[in-house]
Amino acid sequence: MLRASDTEILVRALDEDRVIVSADTDFAMLLATRREARPSLVLFRHPMRSPEGQADQILASLDAVEEPLNQGSIVVVEESR
């Protein structure tokens, strides 16, 4: 999906009940303009970590964000929080 459009990624995530993980704020705008509650989005602001570091950060906070992500939410992850 590296070359897929944001809309294609959004539709696939919706079809497969997945969570989008991205630093691209366009996904939040797409969800808002489509008035969609799903798919959920983990948005990395100012991503400075490697993909492995980002995965570690998500896993470290999974207890706090799992339920909101299951319900359809946008979770913003920053270096300091």
Coordinates of all heavy atoms in Angstrom, one line a residue:
M1 N 0.8 -1.2 0.0 CA 0.0 0.0 0.0 C 0.9 1.3 0.0 O 0.3 2.3 0.2 CB -0.9 0.0 1.2 CG -1.8 -1.2 1.3 SD -3.6 -1.1 1.0 CE -4.0 0.4 0.3
L2 N 2.2 1.1 -0.2 CA 3.0 2.3 -0.2 C 2.7 3.3 -1.2 O 2.9 4.5 -1.0 CB 4.5 1.9 -0.4 CG 5.1 1.1 0.8 CD1 6.5 0.6 0.4 CD2 5.2 2.0 2.0
R3 N 2.1 2.9 -2.3 CA 1.8 3.9 -3.4 C 0.3 4.2 -3.5 O -0.2 4.9 -4.3 CB 2.3 3.4 -4.7 CG 3.8 3.2 -4.7 CD 4.3 3.2 -6.2 NE 5.7 2.8 -6.3 CZ 6.7 3.6 -6.0 NH1 6.5 4.8 -5.6 NH2 8.0 3.2 -6.1
A4 N -0.5 3.6 -2.5 CA -1.9 3.8 -2.5 C -2.3 5.2 -2.1 O -1.5 5.8 -1.3 CB -2.6 2.8 -1.6
S5 N -3.4 5.7 -2.6 CA -3.9 7.0 -2.1 C -4.4 6.9 -0.7 O -4.7 5.8 -0.2 CB -5.0 7.5 -3.0 OG -6.2 6.8 -2.8
D6 N -4.5 8.0 0.0 CA -5.1 8.0 1.3 C -6.5 7.4 1.4 O -6.8 6.7 2.3 CB -5.1 9.5 1.9 CG -3.7 10.0 2.2 OD1 -2.7 9.2 2.2 OD2 -3.6 11.2 2.5
T7 N -7.3 7.7 0.3 CA -8.6 7.2 0.3 C -8.6 5.7 0.1 O -9.4 5.0 0.8 CB -9.4 7.8 -0.9 OG1 -9.4 9.3 -0.7 CG2 -10.8 7.3 -1.0
E8 N -7.7 5.2 -0.7 CA -7.6 3.7 -0.8 C -7.2 3.1 0.5 O -7.7 2.0 0.8 CB -6.6 3.4 -1.9 CG -7.0 3.7 -3.3 CD -5.9 3.5 -4.4 OE1 -4.8 4.0 -4.1 OE2 -6.2 2.9 -5.4
I9 N -6.3 3.7 1.2 CA -5.8 3.1 2.5 C -7.0 3.2 3.5 O -7.2 2.2 4.2 CB -4.6 3.9 3.0 CG1 -3.4 3.6 2.1 CG2 -4.3 3.5 4.5 CD1 -2.2 4.6 2.4
L10 N -7.7 4.3 3.5 CA -8.8 4.4 4.4 C -9.9 3.3 4.1 O -10.4 2.7 5.0 CB -9.5 5.8 4.3 CG -10.6 6.1 5.2 CD1 -10.2 7.1 6.3 CD2 -11.8 6.6 4.5
V11 N -10.2 3.1 2.9 CA -11.2 2.1 2.5 C -10.8 0.7 2.8 O -11.5 -0.1 3.4 CB -11.6 2.2 1.0 CG1 -12.4 1.1 0.5 CG2 -12.3 3.5 0.7
R12 N -9.5 0.4 2.6 CA -9.0 -0.9 2.9 C -9.0 -1.1 4.5 O -9.4 -2.2 4.9 CB -7.6 -1.1 2.4 CG -7.1 -2.5 2.7 CD -5.9 -2.8 1.9 NE -5.4 -4.1 2.2 CZ -4.3 -4.6 1.7 NH1 -3.6 -3.9 0.8 NH2 -3.9 -5.8 2.0
A13 N -8.6 -0.1 5.2 CA -8.6 -0.2 6.7 C -10.1 -0.4 7.2 O -10.3 -1.3 8.1 CB -8.0 1.0 7.3
L14 N -11.0 0.2 6.6 CA -12.4 0.1 6.9 C -12.9 -1.3 6.6 O -13.5 -2.0 7.4 CB -13.2 1.1 6.2 CG -14.7 1.3 6.6 CD1 -14.9 1.6 8.0 CD2 -15.4 2.3 5.7
D15 N -12.6 -1.8 5.4 CA -13.0 -3.1 5.0 C -12.4 -4.2 5.8 O -13.1 -5.3 6.0 CB -12.6 -3.4 3.5 CG -13.5 -2.6 2.5 OD1 -14.5 -2.0 2.9 OD2 -13.0 -2.5 1.3
E16 N -11.2 -4.0 6.3 CA -10.5 -5.1 7.0 C -10.5 -4.8 8.5 O -9.8 -5.5 9.3 CB -9.0 -5.2 6.5 CG -9.0 -5.7 5.1 CD -7.6 -5.8 4.5 OE1 -6.6 -5.6 5.3 OE2 -7.4 -6.1 3.3
D17 N -11.3 -3.8 9.0 CA -11.4 -3.5 10.4 C -10.0 -3.3 11.0 O -9.6 -3.9 12.0 CB -12.2 -4.5 11.1 CG -12.6 -4.1 12.5 OD1 -12.8 -2.8 12.6 OD2 -12.8 -4.9 13.4
R18 N -9.2 -2.4 10.4 CA -7.8 -2.2 10.8 C -7.7 -0.8 11.4 O -8.6 0.1 11.2 CB -6.8 -2.3 9.7 CG -6.7 -3.7 9.2 CD -5.7 -3.8 8.0 NE -5.5 -5.1 7.6 CZ -4.5 -5.9 7.8 NH1 -3.5 -5.4 8.6 NH2 -4.4 -7.1 7.3
V19 N -6.7 -0.5 12.1 CA -6.3 0.9 12.6 C -5.2 1.4 11.7 O -4.3 0.7 11.4 CB -5.8 0.8 14.0 CG1 -5.4 2.2 14.5 CG2 -7.0 0.3 14.9
I20 N -5.4 2.7 11.3 CA -4.3 3.3 10.5 C -3.3 3.9 11.4 O -3.7 4.6 12.4 CB -5.0 4.4 9.6 CG1 -5.9 3.8 8.5 CG2 -3.9 5.2 8.8 CD1 -6.7 4.8 7.7
V21 N -2.1 3.7 11.1 CA -1.0 4.3 11.9 C -0.2 5.2 10.9 O 0.3 4.7 9.9 CB 0.0 3.3 12.5 CG1 1.1 3.9 13.3 CG2 -0.8 2.4 13.5
S22 N -0.1 6.5 11.2 CA 0.4 7.4 10.2 C 0.9 8.7 10.9 O 0.5 9.0 12.0 CB -0.6 7.7 9.2 OG -0.1 8.6 8.2
A23 N 1.7 9.4 10.2 CA 2.1 10.8 10.6 C 1.4 11.8 9.7 O 1.6 13.0 9.8 CB 3.6 11.0 10.5
D24 N 0.5 11.3 8.8 CA -0.2 12.1 7.8 C -1.5 12.6 8.4 O -2.4 11.8 8.6 CB -0.4 11.2 6.5 CG -1.1 12.0 5.4 OD1 -1.5 13.1 5.6 OD2 -1.1 11.4 4.3
T25 N -1.6 13.9 8.6 CA -2.8 14.5 9.2 C -4.0 14.4 8.2 O -5.1 14.7 8.6 CB -2.6 15.9 9.6 OG1 -2.2 16.7 8.5 CG2 -1.6 16.0 10.8
D26 N -3.8 14.1 6.9 CA -4.8 14.0 5.9 C -5.9 13.0 6.3 O -7.0 13.1 6.0 CB -4.3 13.7 4.5 CG -3.5 14.9 4.0 OD1 -3.6 16.0 4.5 OD2 -2.8 14.7 3.0
F27 N -5.4 11.9 7.0 CA -6.4 10.9 7.4 C -7.4 11.4 8.3 O -8.6 11.1 8.2 CB -5.7 9.7 8.0 CG -4.9 8.8 7.0 CD1 -3.6 8.8 7.0 CD2 -5.7 8.1 6.1 CE1 -2.9 8.0 6.0 CE2 -5.0 7.3 5.1 CZ -3.6 7.3 5.1
A28 N -7.0 12.2 9.3 CA -8.0 12.8 10.2 C -9.0 13.7 9.4 O -10.2 13.7 9.7 CB -7.3 13.7 11.3
M29 N -8.5 14.4 8.5 CA -9.4 15.3 7.7 C -10.4 14.4 6.8 O -11.5 14.7 6.7 CB -8.6 16.2 6.7 CG -9.4 17.1 5.9 SD -10.4 18.3 6.8 CE -9.1 19.4 7.2
L30 N -9.8 13.3 6.2 CA -10.7 12.4 5.5 C -11.8 11.8 6.3 O -13.0 11.8 5.9 CB -9.9 11.3 4.9 CG -9.2 11.5 3.6 CD1 -8.3 10.3 3.2 CD2 -10.2 11.7 2.5
L31 N -11.5 11.4 7.5 CA -12.5 10.9 8.4 C -13.5 11.9 8.8 O -14.7 11.6 8.8 CB -11.8 10.3 9.7 CG -11.0 9.1 9.6 CD1 -10.2 8.8 10.8 CD2 -11.9 7.9 9.3
A32 N -13.1 13.1 9.0 CA -14.0 14.2 9.4 C -14.9 14.5 8.2 O -16.1 14.7 8.4 CB -13.3 15.4 9.9
T33 N -14.4 14.7 7.0 CA -15.2 15.1 5.9 C -16.1 14.0 5.4 O -17.2 14.3 4.9 CB -14.3 15.5 4.7 OG1 -13.5 14.5 4.3 CG2 -13.5 16.8 5.0
R34 N -15.7 12.7 5.7 CA -16.6 11.6 5.3 C -17.6 11.3 6.5 O -18.4 10.4 6.3 CB -15.8 10.4 5.0 CG -14.9 10.5 3.7 CD -14.0 9.4 3.6 NE -14.6 8.1 3.5 CZ -14.6 7.3 2.5 NH1 -13.9 7.6 1.4 NH2 -15.2 6.1 2.5
R35 N -17.4 12.0 7.6 CA -18.2 11.7 8.8 C -18.2 10.3 9.2 O -19.2 9.7 9.5 CB -19.6 12.2 8.6 CG -19.7 13.7 8.4 CD -21.1 14.2 8.2 NE -21.0 15.6 8.0 CZ -21.9 16.5 8.4 NH1 -23.0 16.0 9.0 NH2 -21.8 17.7 8.1
E36 N -17.0 9.7 9.1 CA -16.8 8.3 9.5 C -16.2 8.2 10.9 O -15.3 9.0 11.3 CB -15.7 7.7 8.5 CG -16.1 7.7 7.1 CD -17.1 6.5 6.7 OE1 -17.3 5.7 7.6 OE2 -17.6 6.5 5.6
A37 N -16.7 7.3 11.7 CA -16.1 7.0 13.0 C -15.1 5.9 12.9 O -14.3 5.7 13.8 CB -17.2 6.5 13.9
R38 N -15.0 5.3 11.8 CA -14.0 4.2 11.5 C -13.3 4.4 10.2 O -13.9 5.0 9.3 CB -14.8 2.9 11.5 CG -15.4 2.6 12.8 CD -15.0 1.5 13.3 NE -15.2 0.5 14.2 CZ -14.4 0.2 15.2 NH1 -13.3 0.9 15.4 NH2 -14.6 -0.8 16.0
P39 N -12.2 4.0 10.0 CA -11.3 3.3 10.9 C -10.7 4.2 12.0 O -10.7 5.4 11.8 CB -10.2 2.6 10.0 CG -10.1 3.6 8.9 CD -11.5 4.2 8.7
S40 N -10.2 3.6 13.0 CA -9.5 4.4 14.0 C -8.1 4.8 13.4 O -7.6 4.2 12.5 CB -9.3 3.7 15.3 OG -10.5 3.6 16.0
L41 N -7.5 5.8 14.0 CA -6.3 6.4 13.6 C -5.3 6.6 14.7 O -5.7 7.2 15.7 CB -6.5 7.7 12.8 CG -5.3 8.6 12.4 CD1 -4.4 7.9 11.4 CD2 -5.8 9.9 11.9
V42 N -4.1 6.2 14.6 CA -3.0 6.5 15.5 C -2.2 7.5 14.7 O -1.6 7.2 13.7 CB -2.2 5.3 16.0 CG1 -1.0 5.8 16.8 CG2 -3.0 4.4 16.8
L43 N -2.1 8.8 15.2 CA -1.5 9.8 14.5 C -0.2 10.2 15.2 O -0.3 10.7 16.4 CB -2.4 11.1 14.4 CG -1.8 12.3 13.7 CD1 -1.5 12.0 12.2 CD2 -2.8 13.4 13.8
F44 N 0.9 10.0 14.6 CA 2.2 10.4 15.2 C 2.5 11.9 14.8 O 2.6 12.2 13.6 CB 3.4 9.5 14.7 CG 3.5 8.3 15.5 CD1 2.8 7.1 15.1 CD2 4.2 8.2 16.6 CE1 2.9 6.0 15.8 CE2 4.3 7.0 17.4 CZ 3.6 5.9 17.0
R45 N 2.6 12.7 15.8 CA 3.0 14.1 15.5 C 4.5 14.3 15.7 O 5.1 13.8 16.6 CB 2.3 15.0 16.6 CG 0.8 15.0 16.5 CD 0.3 15.8 15.4 NE 0.9 17.1 15.3 CZ 0.2 18.2 15.3 NH1 -1.1 18.2 15.1 NH2 0.8 19.4 15.3
H46 N 5.1 14.9 14.7 CA 6.6 15.1 14.7 C 7.3 13.7 14.9 O 8.0 13.6 15.9 CB 7.0 16.1 15.7 CG 6.2 17.3 15.7 ND1 6.3 18.2 14.7 CD2 5.2 17.8 16.6 CE1 5.4 19.2 14.9 NE2 4.8 19.0 16.0
P47 N 7.0 12.7 14.1 CA 7.6 11.4 14.3 C 9.2 11.5 14.2 O 9.7 11.9 13.2 CB 7.1 10.6 13.2 CG 6.7 11.5 12.1 CD 6.3 12.8 12.8
M48 N 9.8 11.2 15.3 CA 11.3 11.2 15.3 C 11.8 9.8 15.5 O 13.0 9.7 15.6 CB 11.7 12.2 16.4 CG 11.2 13.6 16.2 SD 11.7 14.6 17.5 CE 12.9 15.7 16.7
R49 N 11.0 8.9 15.7 CA 11.4 7.5 16.1 C 11.4 6.7 14.8 O 10.7 7.0 13.9 CB 10.5 6.9 17.1 CG 10.6 7.6 18.4 CD 9.7 6.9 19.4 NE 9.8 7.5 20.7 CZ 9.8 6.8 21.8 NH1 9.6 5.5 21.8 NH2 9.9 7.4 23.0
S50 N 12.1 5.6 14.9 CA 12.1 4.6 13.8 C 10.7 3.9 13.8 O 10.0 4.0 14.8 CB 13.2 3.6 14.0 OG 12.9 2.9 15.2
P51 N 10.3 3.2 12.8 CA 9.1 2.4 12.8 C 9.1 1.5 14.1 O 8.0 1.3 14.7 CB 9.1 1.7 11.5 CG 9.9 2.5 10.6 CD 10.9 3.1 11.5
E52 N 10.2 0.9 14.4 CA 10.3 0.0 15.5 C 10.0 0.8 16.8 O 9.3 0.3 17.7 CB 11.6 -0.7 15.6 CG 11.9 -1.6 14.5 CD 12.4 -1.0 13.2 OE1 12.7 0.2 13.2 OE2 12.4 -1.7 12.2
G53 N 10.6 2.0 16.9 CA 10.3 2.9 18.1 C 8.9 3.3 18.2 O 8.3 3.4 19.3
Q54 N 8.3 3.6 17.0 CA 6.9 3.9 17.0 C 6.0 2.7 17.5 O 5.1 2.9 18.3 CB 6.4 4.4 15.6 CG 7.0 5.7 15.2 CD 6.7 6.1 13.8 OE1 6.3 5.3 13.0 NE2 6.9 7.3 13.5
A55 N 6.3 1.6 17.0 CA 5.6 0.4 17.5 C 5.8 0.2 19.0 O 4.8 -0.1 19.7 CB 6.1 -0.9 16.7
D56 N 7.0 0.4 19.5 CA 7.2 0.3 20.9 C 6.4 1.3 21.7 O 5.8 1.0 22.7 CB 8.7 0.5 21.3 CG 9.6 -0.7 20.8 OD1 9.0 -1.8 20.5 OD2 10.8 -0.5 20.7
Q57 N 6.3 2.5 21.2 CA 5.5 3.5 21.8 C 4.0 3.2 21.8 O 3.3 3.4 22.8 CB 5.7 4.9 21.1 CG 5.3 6.1 21.9 CD 5.9 7.3 21.3 OE1 6.4 7.4 20.2 NE2 5.7 8.4 22.1
I58 N 3.5 2.6 20.7 CA 2.1 2.2 20.7 C 1.9 1.1 21.7 O 0.9 1.1 22.5 CB 1.7 1.7 19.3 CG1 1.6 2.9 18.3 CG2 0.3 1.0 19.3 CD1 1.5 2.6 16.9
L59 N 2.7 0.1 21.7 CA 2.6 -1.1 22.6 C 2.7 -0.6 24.0 O 1.9 -1.2 24.9 CB 3.6 -2.1 22.3 CG 3.5 -2.9 21.0 CD1 4.6 -3.8 20.7 CD2 2.2 -3.7 20.9
A60 N 3.5 0.3 24.4 CA 3.6 0.8 25.7 C 2.4 1.5 26.2 O 2.1 1.5 27.4 CB 4.8 1.8 25.8
S61 N 1.6 2.1 25.3 CA 0.4 2.8 25.7 C -0.9 2.0 25.3 O -2.0 2.6 25.4 CB 0.4 4.2 25.1 OG 0.5 4.1 23.7
L62 N -0.8 0.8 24.9 CA -1.9 0.0 24.4 C -3.0 -0.1 25.4 O -4.2 0.0 25.1 CB -1.5 -1.3 23.9 CG -2.5 -2.1 23.1 CD1 -3.0 -1.3 21.9 CD2 -1.9 -3.4 22.6
D63 N -2.7 -0.3 26.7 CA -3.7 -0.5 27.7 C -4.6 0.8 27.8 O -5.8 0.7 28.0 CB -3.1 -0.7 29.1 CG -2.5 -2.1 29.3 OD1 -2.9 -3.0 28.5 OD2 -1.7 -2.3 30.2
A64 N -4.0 1.9 27.6 CA -4.8 3.2 27.7 C -5.6 3.5 26.4 O -6.6 4.2 26.4 CB -3.8 4.3 28.0
V65 N -5.1 3.0 25.2 CA -5.7 3.4 24.0 C -6.5 2.3 23.3 O -7.2 2.6 22.3 CB -4.7 4.0 23.0 CG1 -4.1 5.3 23.6 CG2 -3.7 3.0 22.6
E66 N -6.4 1.1 23.8 CA -7.0 0.0 23.1 C -8.5 0.1 22.9 O -9.1 0.0 21.9 CB -6.7 -1.4 23.7 CG -7.3 -2.6 23.0 CD -6.9 -3.9 23.6 OE1 -6.4 -3.9 24.8 OE2 -7.1 -4.9 23.0
E67 N -9.2 0.4 24.0 CA -10.7 0.6 24.0 C -11.1 1.7 23.1 O -12.0 1.6 22.3 CB -11.2 0.7 25.4 CG -12.8 0.7 25.4 CD -13.4 -0.6 24.9 OE1 -12.7 -1.6 25.0 OE2 -14.5 -0.5 24.3
P68 N -10.5 2.9 23.2 CA -10.9 4.0 22.3 C -10.7 3.6 20.8 O -11.5 4.0 20.0 CB -10.0 5.2 22.7 CG -9.7 4.9 24.1 CD -9.6 3.4 24.3
L69 N -9.6 2.9 20.5 CA -9.3 2.5 19.2 C -10.4 1.5 18.7 O -10.8 1.5 17.5 CB -7.9 1.9 19.0 CG -6.8 3.0 19.1 CD1 -5.4 2.3 19.1 CD2 -6.8 4.0 18.0
N70 N -10.8 0.6 19.6 CA -11.9 -0.3 19.2 C -13.2 0.4 18.9 O -14.0 -0.1 18.2 CB -12.0 -1.4 20.3 CG -10.9 -2.4 20.3 OD1 -10.3 -2.7 19.3 ND2 -10.6 -3.0 21.4
Q71 N -13.4 1.5 19.6 CA -14.7 2.2 19.4 C -14.7 3.2 18.3 O -15.7 3.8 17.9 CB -15.0 3.0 20.7 CG -15.3 2.0 21.9 CD -15.5 2.8 23.2 OE1 -15.4 4.0 23.2 NE2 -15.8 2.0 24.2
G72 N -13.5 3.5 17.7 CA -13.4 4.5 16.6 C -12.9 5.8 17.1 O -13.7 6.7 17.5
S73 N -11.6 6.0 17.2 CA -11.0 7.2 17.7 C -9.8 7.6 17.0 O -9.2 6.8 16.3 CB -10.6 7.0 19.2 OG -11.7 6.8 20.0
I74 N -9.4 8.8 17.2 CA -8.1 9.3 16.7 C -7.2 9.5 18.0 O -7.6 10.2 18.9 CB -8.2 10.6 15.9 CG1 -9.0 10.4 14.7 CG2 -6.8 11.1 15.6 CD1 -9.3 11.7 13.9
V75 N -6.1 8.8 18.0 CA -5.2 8.8 19.1 C -3.9 9.6 18.6 O -3.3 9.1 17.6 CB -4.8 7.4 19.7 CG1 -3.7 7.5 20.7 CG2 -6.1 6.8 20.2
V76 N -3.6 10.6 19.3 CA -2.4 11.4 18.9 C -1.2 11.1 19.8 O -1.4 11.1 21.0 CB -2.7 12.9 19.0 CG1 -1.5 13.7 18.6 CG2 -3.9 13.3 18.1
V77 N -0.1 10.7 19.2 CA 1.1 10.3 19.9 C 2.1 11.4 19.6 O 2.5 11.6 18.5 CB 1.6 8.9 19.5 CG1 2.8 8.5 20.2 CG2 0.5 7.9 19.7
E78 N 2.7 11.9 20.7 CA 3.8 12.9 20.6 C 5.0 12.3 21.4 O 4.8 11.5 22.2 CB 3.4 14.3 21.1 CG 2.3 14.9 20.3 CD 1.9 16.2 20.8 OE1 1.9 16.4 22.0 OE2 1.5 17.1 20.0
E79 N 6.1 12.9 21.1 CA 7.3 12.4 21.8 C 7.2 12.5 23.3 O 7.6 11.6 24.0 CB 8.5 13.2 21.3 CG 9.8 12.6 21.7 CD 10.1 11.3 20.9 OE1 9.7 11.1 19.8 OE2 10.8 10.4 21.5
S80 N 6.5 13.6 23.8 CA 6.4 13.8 25.2 C 5.2 13.2 25.8 O 5.0 13.2 27.0 CB 6.4 15.3 25.5 OG 5.3 15.9 24.9
R81 N 4.2 12.7 25.0 CA 3.0 12.1 25.6 C 2.4 11.1 24.6 O 2.6 11.1 23.5 CB 2.0 13.2 25.9 CG 1.5 13.9 24.7 CD 0.5 15.0 25.1 NE 0.1 15.7 24.0 CZ -1.2 15.7 23.5 NH1 -2.1 15.0 24.2 NH2 -1.5 16.3 22.4

